[in-house]
Amino acid sequence: YHHDEGEGMDMYNVGRSRGAGGTGVWDGGRLATSGNYASWKVLANGPVRAVFELAYDAWDAAGTRVAEVKRFTVDAGHQLDRIDSTFTFSGPAALTVAVGLNKTPSDKKQQARIALVRDDAGHALLQWVEQASNGAFGTAIILPTASGYAEDTLNDLVLAKVESGKPLRYWVGAAWDRAGRIASKAAWQAYVAAEAGRIAHHV
């Protein structure tokens, strides 16, 4: 699965990072993250739209117990998926949540060149990754309520405040040049900026 047989390949490194679009609670210097999801539920199964939920058991975020339910909405033909993350906690009126992109996402031995772009106007964080032999790909997060950016050793992060029980809506996605739709950093930036503009008019 690390070799392209004509239908794509597994070349995205996740490791202990947030991958593309994983979340955590940010305390200003450290990211507190959940374990793997504890349960799942399919709400719609295509063919044009798929919707599913992942539920995460509560974890400790600097003394606050936090649970999360993520709802994914995946639409055919779109590079970006919508995610609604609902965090439940008691105590603080609000917490700062981070949505991340792995700093080193390329496959092994790819000697990748990674460009990171913070698009303040579009409230977006995106990467363009050029690999030695596996092509180039982009990843992106659009977070309309973003309040800033941060990083830790593994992830570049975009931040937002959340209240308990109120969903945080954001978009996450990717593109691979070999798919033939988006083949350059400039094209990926333009696509993400256009999607951010569309989202801003519908949020």
Side-chain angles (χ1 to χ4, degrees), residues 24-27 30-34 57-67 87-90 92 94-97:
V25 178
W26 181 248
D27 69 0
R30 180 179 170 273
L31 195 61
T33 60
S34 70
D57 288 339
W59 71 94
D60 179 69
T64 300
R65 297 289 291 172
V66 181
F87 296 85
T88 306
F89 53 90
S90 60
L95 292 172
T96 299
V97 165

Side-chain angles (χ1 to χ4, degrees), residues 148-168:
Y149 302 96
E151 63 178 296
D152 64 10
T153 56
L154 299 175
N155 311 281
D156 289 298
L157 306 165
V158 58
L159 308 176
K161 292 285 189 182
V162 298
E163 297 178 28
S164 181
K166 295 185 178 180
L168 175 70

Side-chain angles (χ1 to χ4, degrees), residues 72-109:
F72 295 76
T73 302
V74 181
D75 289 325
H78 292 258
Q79 302 294 138
L80 300 171
D81 302 330
R82 192 181 82 200
I83 302 175
D84 294 280
S85 274
T86 302
F87 296 85
T88 306
F89 53 90
S90 60
L95 292 172
T96 299
V97 165
V99 186
L101 294 177
N102 181 10
K103 285 182 172 179
T104 55
S106 64
D107 210 351
K108 296 174 182 178
K109 301 179 182 178

Side-chain angles (χ1 to χ4, degrees), residues 79 126 128 138 175 181-194:
Q79 302 294 138
L126 58 126
W128 186 253
R181 295 183 66 186
I182 295 170
S184 69
K185 176 187 171 188
W188 182 231
Q189 283 187 252
Y191 180 90
V192 173

